[in-house]
Amino acid sequence: MTPSSRAWTAGRLLVAGFCWMTAAYACVASSTFASLQFLQPRVFPWIGTFSDWHPAASWLWLAAVAALFWEDVRPHSTGRLQPPRAKRATASLALAFGEGGKAAPTKALLALLAAGVAWNTAWPVLPSLAGGTRPLVVAIVAFAIPIAFAIIDHIEVPGCRSSDRPAEDSRLFIVGVATALLVTALYTAFASITMAGAFEPDLLTEGLLTGLGWSLVDHLWIGCTAFLTLAVIAHLASRRPALHYAAIVATLAAALALAFARLVGTALGMHGVAAACVTAAFGTSVVATWGGLRLRRLAGDAGVIVPPLDIFFGTPRSASSTVRSALAVAGTIGLAAAGAAIARLADWDFVLLKAGVLAVWVTAFGLVHRLTATRVRVPRWVVALVCLAPLAAQQTMHANADQRRMLGRYEVYNPSFRLAHGLLHDVTATPAFDRFLRANTSVDAAITPVNLDFVPSLAPSTQADKPLIFVFVVDSLRPDYLGAYNPAVRFTPRLDAFAAESVVFRNAFTRFGGTGLSVPAIWAGSALVHKQYVQPFHPMNTLEKLLDVNGYRKVVGRDSIMSRLLEPSPRADELDAGVANMDYRLCGTLGQIEGTLASAAQAPIFAYSLPQDVHMSRLPATVESGPEYRGFHAPYATKVHAIDACVGHFVDALKARGLYDRSLIVLTSDHGEMLGEDGRFGHSTHLFPQVVRVPLIVHLPATLVRRATIDVDTLALSTDITPTIYSALGYQPSPANPLMGRSLVTMDTRAADARRHETVVIASSYGPVYAVLQDNGQRLYIADALNGNDLAYERNGAGPWSTVEVTAAARTVNQFLIRQHIDEVSRVFHVDDTSAHHGEH
Amino acid sequence: MKSLTRTALLLALLAAYVAATVRPALEHGAGSGFDALAPESRFVERAIGEQRFVDALPVALQLRRAYSAEPLVAYWLATIYQGLGRAADARSALDDFERLSGSSSGGNPSTKALAAVDAD
């Protein structure tokens, strides 16, 4: 196996791939929320397996590295004719390292890697990574290893470089423009296909033409920028091949690093010097590996001297390679379709979708580059005219509000336009405000827990009959998939029957978009400082304090969050013991709870679970669905239907035992879910109406029904659940600060009216994204400091949400309200300015 | 010579692209010099949050003199005057806010609450 063979190249890619996987794991682990919400609960089990087996796999990897570089370190020469520069490099190394000096760096690197692998075996690195800077250092090291390999490649094959002639910028011009046109056409066709059958009043003839026009201009802009950058480099470095090659490596590495920062870095909230080093290491690692492998391949073709750009994108093809070209075009189309399909199954704020588009852009550029003849010469005036066209268009085309709405809808179907338009037009309107949000989100500083209490000097309830309490927080359940909220739903008959016997709060919202902080907020009955997690949590855990003082037997699923929130207690039984968090299923859990009902006479029971039945990561890709699911996301709706039957069965069991009228049953969710709206699926750092609205159905014990005063249309928050439970036990809960919830069953007219006029700030659990809810939940303003934009929505009553223009006045007022909320959080939780704002600048 | 002309043309075009790309960011960054996160600004907002309107007023007035075109300062003043029970001043500051921000905020519940001061 020689270094120029395909097998050797594939082996090198596998070796580099292992390093990149390790670095990717470390990047994810650098984010506290991602570590706690994805890695530790093993949302994707194969990632956990990778971490578990990483030390053992490292030895295999080391063996592969040694085998691949054996050719370089064995004592005799390969006999390959070396170009003069290579000879000089070899001579220099011989001087530095003695006999066999050329192999010395390789040998030293192998020794270093062996030591690293031994270290990783004794002290496995990946499982120990959880937030902070250390994972980023690990990522930099992992990215650096392929760079070291690439340096060896360049030492081994230093002579295979030559500069483009300046005249060849004509070829570059054709490649840049043709790539832009190809990508525009490809994704226009893609949009037409995906749009088929969709009802899109904004995308009739005018909307489609507007989308196509902007798409063409944006793609041409990017194509011309690529052409001009590479052409200027070629002109300025035409007489210095090494400099030319280095400049291209630096440019490509910078472009990849920028893409990494915009996509992955933004999604994971990576900021600061260490994060910048990671992004630079990523770009350099990929480009250097790419260049090194191509040089090795080209070195096998004796005497082939190619321009630097051909090293990366291939040499021009002869007419005989038509079939290969056709296959490459088909492959590019397949890549575009596969990227979009994968992104529909699991994505995080379009990271996969956009990364797929980027891969298509690069592939298309390489394809066109290989297909373009080298002997064409484009006149200067044509170059100037074509390059000025998108510039002029950008200056003259100003989308009005209607056109912006059309473009927003067009983005849903054209992911390449989404990426291009975002790169060129998403300018942070208020960078200082965004920095402020980032500084006060996912606070790293240690926070001392404060005491939160709804009742001063909490004593056991004097109420004779303590209700059984069941709290079911169905992860990601949307209210509009329940018949109690949406008359079009025909697949939740048992839940609808349960709702008919309960109180349906029609206007309920979560306090945090995302499980990570939403669940703690439910237990605390309060909005919380943005930190996962303040430890010990017990002083803030108003629900646990209530249960303990009243002698409740707690039957709780101790998932990765609950294990941080609850105190160890002899009166606690674990639900779903031994079951992975993401495998919690409501039907199984309810069966276990039924098993505990027999003991309800000895001590009142409190049961809590966070079932994952409808979580996006647990939905099937497709399902056999009947007509009742038409107009709904069928995989999700079928899962809701499955829950429905189990809830019905559980209610029957309670009734059969005569416990139903003694029970307080809360059915809610920690947040909603995007099910294709605006092309988005799941929930991540973002906040949208579909993410912040939750169902809240509360079955009250008969004793409470008689004395309750309820307004089901008033704004209800997930932090109101715990004070409502206080009311059910006969307390009169009183919030000690504006962040704490209110009881929903003792809300007189005056209190309900006050709540209708209250301003509530909602936060994403995982990123600096905040929302302001006003006008009794009829207006929603969202400030997204990750993407540097803001949005506004309105609705009329229970009607659908519609987007509205964010005026300067609205932005000013809402940003002020968000700052006021963060100040309030800082006051209540004693967040020191200097500790919270450590990363502000 | 031809090569030089072509190089110059390419450089000029690239410069135009760079300028057009960074211009929006520069335009956003170049404001009146007012900083909502400066210590004085944060003092005013925290004082408003803690309902220390008397403390907030002189600093807010000082900021209005320095940044007379800044709508946020006008909004602070409207809030402060409302907290102090000075309805006419609150109404006037709210008018200033809408004028300076160039858009009506009449539908916004927070400004509606301020506007309702007149009716009290």
Side-chain angles (χ1 to χ4, degrees):
Chain A
M1 188 167 62
T2 59
S4 59
S5 68
R6 286 183 191 280
W8 192 88
T9 305
R12 276 290 305 278
L13 281 175
L14 276 176
V15 161
F18 183 76
C19 296
W20 294 333
M21 281 280 291
T22 304
Y25 184 99
C27 286
V28 175
S30 73
S31 158
T32 305
F33 83 80
S35 177
L36 291 173
Q37 302 299 322
F38 287 99
L39 300 183
Q40 292 181 21
R42 303 199 169 205
V43 172
F44 300 103
W46 63 271
I47 299 178
T49 307
F50 176 74
S51 168
D52 295 341
W53 287 92
H54 190 260
S58 298
W59 287 105
L60 287 176
W61 171 83
L62 184 66
V65 171
L68 287 166
F69 285 96
W70 171 245
E71 190 72 15
D72 295 343
V73 296
R74 65 181 181 153
H76 58 83
S77 160
T78 59
R80 194 171 59 235
L81 284 175
Q82 291 185 332
R85 283 179 57 79
K87 284 180 181 169
R88 281 204 299 277
T90 306
S92 306
L93 289 165
L95 273 177
F97 297 102
E99 279 306 312
K102 192 179 171 194
T106 313
K107 286 177 179 171
L109 177 63
L110 289 175
L112 201 62
L113 293 177
V117 169
W119 173 282
N120 189 39
T121 306
W123 297 280
V125 174
L126 294 194
S128 67
L129 301 178
T133 307
R134 189 164 159 265
L136 295 179
V137 174
V138 171
I140 291 169
V141 171
F143 280 135
I145 294 170
I147 296 175
F149 294 157
I151 290 171
I152 292 171
D153 293 335
H154 286 76
I155 290 172
E156 288 289 323
V157 195
C160 205
R161 285 173 251 160
S162 157
S163 180
D164 285 305
R165 294 188 308 275
E168 287 187 346
D169 66 48
S170 291
R171 181 182 174 214
L172 270 176
F173 169 78
I174 294 170
V175 173
V177 173
T179 303
L181 295 175
L182 173 66
V183 170
T184 304
L186 178 65
Y187 278 98
T188 300
F190 180 84
S192 304
I193 294 166
T194 53
M195 210 183 294
F199 174 66
E200 283 292 350
D202 285 326
L203 294 179
L204 302 176
T205 307
E206 187 193 348
L208 284 177
L209 286 175
T210 304
L212 178 60
W214 277 91
S215 178
L216 183 63
V217 169
D218 287 345
H219 284 103
L220 273 176
W221 180 293
I222 292 169
C224 288
T225 304
F227 150 66
L228 288 168
T229 306
L230 294 171
V232 165
I233 289 172
H235 273 257
L236 297 181
S238 60
R239 294 178 194 281
R240 295 181 180 179
L243 178 65
H244 188 185
Y245 179 80
I248 286 179
V249 168
T251 303
L252 294 178
L256 269 184
L258 187 67
F260 184 89
R262 285 293 292 265
L263 300 182
V264 182
T266 300
L268 292 174
M270 289 166 60
H271 294 286
V273 177
C277 291
V278 170
T279 57
F282 166 77
T284 311
S285 187
V286 172
V287 174
T289 300
W290 186 5
L293 291 180
R294 288 285 300 158
L295 279 173
R296 293 266 197 179
R297 290 273 297 155
L298 290 167
D301 306 331
V304 172
I305 303 293
V306 297
L309 213 56
D310 288 7
I311 290 172
F312 290 97
F313 294 104
T315 49
R317 286 206 179 135
S318 63
S320 62
S321 58
T322 311
V323 176
R324 285 177 63 191
S325 301
L327 284 175
V329 173
T332 307
I333 293 169
L335 187 63
I342 292 169
R344 278 178 68 90
L345 294 178
D347 205 348
W348 184 266
D349 211 10
F350 296 128
V351 170
L352 290 179
L353 185 72
K354 289 178 178 175
V357 170
L358 203 58
V360 171
W361 287 4
V362 174
T363 308
F365 186 90
L367 175 66
V368 177
H369 186 265
R370 288 192 299 277
L371 292 176
T372 306
T374 55
R375 292 182 183 174
V376 288
R377 185 172 178 90
V378 181
R380 283 196 303 260
W381 66 269
V382 175
V383 172
L385 205 64
V386 173
C387 287
L388 286 172
L391 267 180
Q394 290 276 13
Q395 299 306 310
T396 51
M397 289 165 69
H398 296 288
N400 58 31
D402 285 344
Q403 288 169 330
R404 280 197 292 274
R405 198 178 62 249
M406 291 171 189
L407 293 176
R409 294 307 305 164
Y410 190 67
E411 276 188 357
V412 172
Y413 301 98
N414 189 331
S416 184
F417 173 62
R418 184 190 287 280
L419 178 61
H421 203 65
L423 284 174
L424 299 177
H425 300 281
D426 282 355
V427 178
T428 301
T430 48
F433 179 69
D434 292 350
R435 282 200 301 275
F436 175 80
L437 293 187
R438 282 200 293 270
N440 287 281
T441 302
S442 300
V443 176
D444 280 336
I447 305 286
T448 306
V450 299
N451 269 308
L452 294 180
D453 291 298
F454 283 104
V455 177
S457 308
L458 185 65
S461 166
T462 55
Q463 191 167 294
D465 188 20
K466 289 176 184 161
L468 284 73
I469 304 171
F470 304 99
V471 178
F472 303 120
V473 182
V474 183
D475 198 310
S476 312
L477 182 61
R478 275 173 52 157
D480 55 336
Y481 275 68
L482 302 175
Y485 289 90
N486 182 358
V489 172
R490 294 279 184 269
F491 45 81
T492 57
R494 300 304 308 271
L495 279 165
D496 299 346
F498 167 68
E501 297 164 348
S502 308
V503 181
V504 179
F505 291 95
R506 311 197 61 79
N507 199 15
F509 291 81
T510 182
R511 205 65 207 249
F512 286 95
T515 311
L517 287 171
S518 176
V519 167
I522 289 173
W523 281 77
S526 173
L528 296 168
V529 60
H530 207 291
K531 180 177 179 63
Q532 297 178 46
Y533 293 93
V534 177
Q535 295 285 293
F537 191 78
H538 188 71
M540 302 187 293
N541 199 333
T542 56
L543 180 53
E544 188 179 28
K545 286 190 267 190
L546 174 74
L547 300 173
D548 286 346
V549 81
N550 284 287
Y552 270 84
R553 177 185 171 195
K554 287 176 283 189
V555 186
V556 176
R558 294 180 76 92
D559 53 46
S560 59
I561 296 174
M562 290 312 301
S563 58
R564 288 177 171 81
L565 304 188
L566 294 183
E567 293 281 285
S569 164
R571 300 186 68 82
D573 294 329
E574 185 173 356
L575 282 172
D576 298 302
V579 178
N581 296 176
M582 297 311 295
D583 292 333
Y584 285 10
R585 295 290 176 272
L586 186 58
C587 296
T589 306
L590 290 175
Q592 295 171 54
I593 295 172
E594 272 186 55
T596 68
L597 295 178
S599 66
Q602 286 100 49
I605 291 174
F606 168 86
Y608 164 89
S609 184
L610 183 75
Q612 303 295 317
D613 301 71
V614 298
H615 191 276
M616 183 52 68
S617 68
R618 292 298 176 265
L619 298 183
T622 55
V623 291
E624 292 283 330
S625 62
E628 68 272 29
Y629 300 122
R630 191 166 296 138
F632 294 92
H633 186 266
Y636 182 91
T638 52
K639 290 281 188 174
V640 176
H641 179 59
I643 289 174
D644 177 75
C646 299
V647 171
H649 181 82
F650 181 69
V651 168
D652 291 344
L654 287 175
K655 286 179 176 173
R657 290 173 181 273
L659 297 173
Y660 188 57
D661 288 341
R662 283 182 55 206
S663 298
L664 173 73
I665 307 171
V666 178
L667 182 81
T668 185
S669 63
D670 47 353
H671 52 77
E673 192 79 317
M674 297 301 281
L675 295 171
E677 293 84 2
D678 295 335
R680 291 176 184 272
F681 289 88
H683 56 279
S684 63
T685 50
H686 50 237
L687 296 175
F688 290 103
Q690 294 83 358
V691 172
V692 296
R693 277 204 70 205
V694 293
L696 181 56
I697 303 174
V698 182
H699 173 78
L700 300 173
T703 51
L704 182 57
V705 170
R706 284 191 286 275
R707 58 187 163 85
T709 52
I710 300 167
D711 182 345
V712 295
D713 292 319
T714 302
L715 177 68
L717 299 169
S718 55
T719 44
D720 296 333
I721 293 170
T722 286
T724 302
I725 297 174
Y726 271 75
S727 294
L729 279 163
Y731 296 96
Q732 291 187 322
S734 170
N737 62 64
L739 303 176
M740 296 177 74
R742 316 284 197 271
S743 169
L744 293 169
V745 293
T746 57
M747 206 173 270
D748 58 21
T749 311
R750 187 171 175 164
D753 192 52
R755 173 55 76 83
R756 283 169 185 266
H757 292 96
E758 212 169 282
T759 292
V760 174
V761 174
I762 297 169
S764 162
S765 285
Y766 310 129
V769 183
Y770 289 75
V772 180
L773 198 57
Q774 292 184 295
D775 232 0
N776 199 35
Q778 304 294 294
R779 286 166 175 255
L780 188 67
Y781 167 84
I782 296 158
D784 182 345
L786 278 178
N787 294 301
N789 58 24
D790 53 7
L791 299 161
Y793 295 87
E794 285 183 8
R795 65 175 176 159
N796 193 3
W801 293 89
S802 54
T803 51
V804 291
E805 193 78 358
V806 180
T807 63
R811 181 175 292 129
T812 301
V813 173
N814 284 299
Q815 290 186 350
F816 167 71
L817 293 170
I818 292 172
R819 285 196 297 270
Q820 291 271 289
H821 168 79
I822 289 174
D823 286 345
E824 186 65 38
V825 169
S826 299
R827 266 193 292 276
V828 170
F829 292 97
H830 307 308
V831 182
D832 179 15
D833 259 7
T834 51
S835 59
H837 295 195
H838 66 284
E840 192 169 325
H841 296 290
Chain B
M1 189 62 195
K2 269 187 176 179
S3 175
L4 270 179
T5 313
R6 202 167 173 98
T7 304
L9 170 70
L10 293 171
L11 270 171
L13 286 169
L14 183 61
Y17 269 85
V18 171
T21 303
V22 300
R23 199 186 72 177
L26 294 176
E27 281 176 352
H28 275 296
S32 61
F34 173 76
D35 181 4
L37 299 176
E40 309 82 32
S41 306
R42 296 303 296 133
F43 174 84
V44 172
E45 292 200 336
R46 286 186 181 128
I48 291 172
E50 291 160 12
Q51 305 201 338
R52 292 187 290 111
F53 300 113
V54 175
D55 296 340
L57 183 59
V59 185
L61 287 171
Q62 190 183 338
L63 286 169
R64 187 178 64 176
R65 281 192 291 276
Y67 306 101
S68 56
E70 177 53 45
L72 179 59
V73 177
Y75 189 77
W76 288 340
L77 282 168
T79 311
I80 292 167
Y81 286 133
Q82 186 202 25
L84 293 172
R86 292 165 59 174
D89 290 333
R91 178 71 256 173
S92 167
L94 195 59
D95 289 343
D96 286 347
F97 165 67
E98 295 196 343
R99 179 175 51 78
L100 294 171
S101 60
S103 51
S104 167
S105 59
N108 190 299
S110 292
T111 45
K112 273 198 294 191
L114 287 176
V117 171
D118 271 346
D120 292 342

